[in-house]
Amino acid sequence: MQKLFEKNINFFYNNLPEYYNLIKNIKSRNYKIVNDNIVNIHTNEKIYPNSIISDSINIAQAPTHNNMWEKKFFTLSPNKWNEKDFPYTGKAINHLINQAESLDSFENENFLFDKTFLPTTAIFGLLAGKHLDVLVKNYNFQSLFVYEPNPEFFAISLYFVDYEYIYKKLGERFFLWVNGTLDYYAIEKFFYERVITSSLLNLIYTTYSHPLINDAKEKFEQIRTAKFRGWGTFEDEIKGVQNHLQNINKYPLLSKRKQLNIPICVVANGKSLENSLAFIKKNKNSMIIVSVGTAINPLLKAGIHSDFHIEQERIDLLEKILYEPLKEYKGYFIGASVVNPKVFTYAKKPLMYIREGFTLSDKNTLIGSSPIVGNSGFAFASMYTKEIYLCGMDLGFRLNERKHPKNSYYDNKNDIAKTGIKIKGNFSNDIYTNSLLLSSKRNIENLIKALNISVYNLSDGAYIEHTTPIKDKSLPKINKSLYIKEIVSTFKITKTALPSLKFAKVIKQLEKSINHKTNNIKELTGMIDFIEDVFKSKNIPEMKILKGSMFHYLFNLYLLAHKLSKKDFQTLLKNINLKEFFPEKLTSE
């Protein structure tokens, strides 16, 4: 035990000094190792019911079938897609499922797990950590997540866990977080590095109960359930591309920055907008007002016409939502190039921008405009000023209360959240949020820091780092018409060449990768993770368009690998033919 402890100390000293320092700086001891158990030195109470070794062996025994482990499946059986709504993706995935179901070994409800490989595994709490050591010596992993809030238990685990061996065996597939509150973004990073293969099943073991562990598990569950959203599909991307091809070259396009140093107020549609209407009315001649998304309705109801209104969604429903408001609206409408072309025709003064990360362009994009339209509004304002005011940019909500203001699109919708991730509020400590809004918040924070912007937040929602919470302010008047002209002058009519997209080569390469023989689940996991990395890293329009559908397809392939015998799965791999379901090319005609 002492030799292992010394080996671990040397390993952390040379490779992860922050953990070495954490151990070195433990000031007081509450536990000690006595007769193969951990004992509380104040109460003499034993932590393990029997012993460290025997209890750890029981914990580490076949986690996929062990009732001591929580098992979080995304789905227990493959689900067929609606081919009417998804004529390409749906047909491809349904054909794959049909082929698997026709094979003799197919199990619809049951899983055929590899005896030496575990899916995404999370351990909350170490104590002695011997169960971790046993697991890693007996299994390979899709990925392994370990959280220990108590540095003293981590220090004790150095007598029982060969950490150098774990890091050498698992490399980047091992994630260790010790001490304090587990950071939400750390969990997000863990999941999103390998989003496809981490979506099948999560095995979770809770070593002991503690408020910090409960908080960590709650965050873990929020991200686990959210990570399957937002993949998109080929059909979704094509809709955006087709809209872009119809819109581009028709309307002035946002082309450059211009520092004007005037106050700009970004108005989003959070519930607290109701409380900021008086501030906006009072200062309407003292700042440029930029509204986003469904905030247009409550502003118009209050008699306020923002100077610029931004929309960025490609959904067809946007046409219906904006038809009436845009007939009344007097300001400049700024739509992303992927917005339904009809929406632009409703606007009296249409302008256009290209969303960050858009499939067909990496030039003249609005940096910082994802993931939601509020980010576009903030990014747009940051192109002209260092002084921004936020109204209705709640990025959070109170449980069992409405999330949006009166007189908005959501008046007749189910607009109440019953669960969420608890975060620091701008004015109070009862604010919750979700993964999408957290991502939006983080991107705004990064932009504020990068551009050194002074931001004043009137929103009664999430606290945004680097901002100043305020409830009211009186601003001096400015020459609005002059500054509006200056902003409009940064939009220019362009003549952009329209591309011809060719998918055949990408699909052929993908088929070649999938058809490659894999001998076990570990190799299949590596193959799918590799394909995911390629799709994420390549700035190729065809790959961006196919990415979402390919992620869904690969997830179903991974699911079916756990429903078939090794022999039958090899048969399934050999018969994959994606080019049958996706078009060879897409032109601008």
Side-chain angles (χ1 to χ4, degrees):
M1 285 174 59
Q2 186 63 33
K3 285 185 177 179
L4 181 57
F5 179 84
E6 291 172 1
K7 179 185 178 183
N8 280 320
I9 285 291
N10 288 331
F11 172 75
F12 285 114
Y13 177 81
N14 292 312
N15 297 280
L16 294 164
E18 63 272 25
Y19 284 153
Y20 169 80
N21 290 328
L22 188 65
I23 296 166
K24 186 179 72 172
N25 292 325
I26 295 175
K27 301 299 183 185
S28 60
R29 306 283 177 174
N30 297 298
Y31 302 93
K32 62 181 179 179
I33 303 168
V34 179
N35 297 329
D36 197 21
N37 213 317
I38 297 175
V39 175
N40 186 313
I41 63 175
H42 305 294
T43 65
N44 212 33
E45 179 186 3
K46 292 180 179 179
I47 300 298
Y48 283 83
N50 301 297
S51 70
I52 292 172
I53 300 298
S54 64
D55 289 343
S56 297
I57 290 172
N58 288 335
I59 293 166
Q61 182 71 33
T64 53
H65 296 80
N66 189 331
N67 289 333
M68 299 171 76
W69 289 74
E70 296 176 63
K71 299 162 190 71
K72 302 282 189 176
F73 291 91
F74 178 76
T75 180
L76 292 174
S77 56
N79 297 308
K80 298 286 182 68
W81 283 50
N82 184 326
E83 294 184 12
K84 182 179 178 182
D85 293 336
F86 301 97
Y88 303 105
T89 311
K91 287 178 181 177
I93 290 174
N94 290 349
H95 179 73
L96 180 70
I97 295 171
N98 290 337
Q99 281 189 305
E101 289 175 342
S102 70
L103 297 170
D104 292 339
S105 64
F106 178 75
E107 294 274 358
N108 188 48
E109 297 296 331
N110 298 318
F111 284 80
L112 303 174
F113 288 109
D114 191 313
K115 293 181 180 179
T116 62
F117 185 86
L118 293 179
T120 309
T121 303
I123 297 174
F124 292 93
L126 280 168
L127 294 181
K130 185 62 182 177
H131 54 305
L132 169 63
D133 194 67
V134 174
L135 281 168
V136 176
K137 285 174 179 171
N138 290 329
Y139 295 97
N140 290 301
F141 294 81
Q142 185 277 338
S143 53
L144 175 59
F145 182 97
V146 175
Y147 169 59
E148 174 52 68
N150 188 335
E152 189 174 356
F153 287 141
F154 174 58
I156 290 173
S157 78
L158 269 59
Y159 289 98
F160 297 92
V161 181
D162 190 338
Y163 283 102
E164 183 175 7
Y165 174 79
I166 295 177
Y167 276 100
K168 283 184 177 178
K169 180 175 181 177
L170 300 184
E172 293 182 353
R173 293 182 182 272
F174 179 54
F175 183 96
L176 175 67
W177 184 287
V178 180
N179 195 33
T181 302
L182 180 58
D183 185 66
Y184 177 92
Y185 300 121
I187 309 173
E188 192 175 60
K189 184 176 185 296
F190 168 77
F191 271 126
Y192 282 87
E193 281 187 352
R194 301 174 188 89
V195 68
I196 301 171
T197 55
S198 69
S199 295
L200 177 70
L201 165 63
N202 292 173
L203 293 169
I204 298 171
Y205 183 76
T206 307
T207 310
Y208 65 96
S209 181
H210 187 276
L212 287 175
I213 286 179
N214 296 339
D215 173 74
K217 288 184 67 177
E218 187 175 312
K219 292 172 181 172
F220 197 87
E221 179 65 8
Q222 286 280 347
I223 298 171
R224 186 194 73 81
T225 55
K227 70 180 186 296
F228 210 77
R229 298 198 304 263
W231 291 9
T233 63
F234 179 81
E235 290 82 355
D236 294 334
E237 290 296 326
I238 287 298
K239 183 186 293 291
V241 168
Q242 289 173 334
N243 288 347
H244 172 85
L245 295 177
Q246 291 181 61
N247 292 328
I248 202 71
N249 300 332
K250 285 186 178 179
Y251 307 103
L253 182 68
L254 180 60
S255 302
K256 64 178 181 179
R257 291 179 170 273
K258 195 166 194 176
Q259 195 58 237
L260 301 176
N261 295 321
I262 50 166
I264 296 182
C265 180
V266 181
V267 184
N269 199 37
K271 175 75 165 60
S272 71
L273 175 56
E274 294 174 355
N275 303 326
S276 297
L277 292 174
F279 165 82
I280 297 169
K281 282 183 178 180
K282 179 174 69 174
N283 291 291
K284 66 180 180 180
N285 295 318
S286 304
M287 59 189 184
I288 300 296
I289 303 170
V290 178
S291 58
V292 301
T294 49
I296 190 172
N297 296 78
L299 287 178
L300 290 175
K301 289 285 186 180
I304 301 169
H305 289 255
S306 61
D307 303 299
F308 298 91
H309 180 73
I310 298 178
E311 294 285 354
Q312 73 173 20
E313 299 302 328
R314 62 193 169 205
I315 56 173
D316 290 336
L317 183 62
L318 197 63
E319 176 195 350
K320 180 180 178 181
I321 294 172
L322 290 175
Y323 179 71
E324 291 296 335
L326 285 182
K327 283 200 303 185
E328 180 183 351
Y329 181 63
K330 298 174 183 177
Y332 286 88
F333 171 79
I334 309 175
S337 64
V338 298
V339 166
N340 186 317
K342 288 185 179 178
V343 175
F344 283 93
T345 66
Y346 302 154
K348 298 176 178 66
K349 296 180 280 189
L351 302 169
M352 192 168 67
Y353 73 99
I354 297 176
R355 285 180 63 173
E356 180 181 36
F358 175 61
T359 301
L360 298 185
S361 179
D362 56 4
K363 296 179 180 178
N364 288 331
T365 57
L366 182 54
I367 303 300
S369 56
S370 63
I372 61 177
V373 70
N375 294 87
S376 290
F378 188 87
F380 176 70
S382 74
M383 295 186 70
Y384 306 100
T385 188
K386 298 288 187 181
E387 182 183 350
I388 296 176
Y389 294 80
L390 301 178
C391 294
M393 189 75 77
D394 292 0
L395 302 180
F397 44 82
R398 290 179 174 85
L399 298 184
N400 301 311
E401 293 186 12
R402 296 190 70 83
K403 295 183 288 184
H404 296 91
K406 298 174 184 175
N407 299 317
S408 80
Y409 168 75
Y410 296 93
D411 280 357
N412 299 314
K413 309 292 181 184
N414 182 4
D415 191 38
I416 295 174
K418 298 187 180 298
T419 61
I421 304 164
K422 198 170 193 310
I423 54 167
K424 180 180 178 181
N426 197 38
F427 296 119
S428 64
N429 62 359
D430 57 347
I431 301 300
Y432 292 75
T433 190
N434 58 40
S435 57
L436 179 64
L437 296 179
L438 267 180
S439 177
S440 171
K441 173 174 123 71
R442 179 174 58 176
N443 287 355
I444 289 174
E445 290 167 346
N446 289 341
L447 202 57
I448 295 171
K449 188 175 181 181
L451 299 178
N452 193 28
I453 308 169
S454 296
V455 181
Y456 303 91
N457 190 4
L458 290 87
S459 314
D460 188 9
Y463 174 72
I464 301 173
E465 296 289 340
H466 320 301
T467 68
T468 302
I470 64 169
K471 293 190 175 181
D472 195 16
K473 192 174 183 178
S474 295
L475 303 174
K477 287 185 171 52
I478 60 171
N479 188 341
K480 281 193 71 167
S481 59
L482 172 65
Y483 289 116
I484 289 171
K485 286 179 182 178
E486 291 284 350
I487 292 173
V488 172
S489 73
T490 63
F491 291 79
K492 303 291 182 185
I493 289 287
T494 60
K495 291 296 178 184
T496 304
L498 302 182
S500 177
L501 299 166
K502 299 176 181 178
F503 301 105
K505 184 178 178 180
V506 174
I507 290 172
K508 183 178 179 180
Q509 285 297 117
L510 182 61
E511 283 182 351
K512 185 178 178 181
S513 297
I514 295 175
N515 291 149
H516 180 74
K517 183 179 179 181
T518 53
N519 295 305
N520 50 50
I521 293 296
K522 179 185 176 184
E523 291 183 7
L524 176 66
T525 302
M527 180 265 282
I528 292 176
D529 290 344
F530 171 76
I531 294 173
E532 178 180 331
D533 287 342
V534 171
F535 269 94
K536 287 176 176 177
S537 62
K538 297 294 183 182
N539 191 26
I540 299 171
E542 289 86 351
M543 293 189 76
K544 289 182 179 180
I545 293 171
L546 285 164
K547 185 179 82 169
S549 288
M550 292 307 102
F551 278 22
H552 285 293
Y553 188 88
L554 290 168
F555 169 78
N556 278 275
L557 183 69
Y558 197 59
L559 170 64
L560 293 169
H562 293 80
K563 299 284 186 179
L564 295 167
S565 67
K566 180 179 174 182
K567 179 182 177 183
D568 279 351
F569 185 68
Q570 293 302 325
T571 301
L572 183 68
L573 286 180
K574 290 176 184 176
N575 292 324
I576 283 174
N577 181 16
L578 285 166
K579 59 180 173 287
E580 178 182 341
F581 302 101
F582 292 90
E584 290 188 4
K585 62 182 180 179
L586 178 73
T587 63
S588 58
E589 283 79 21

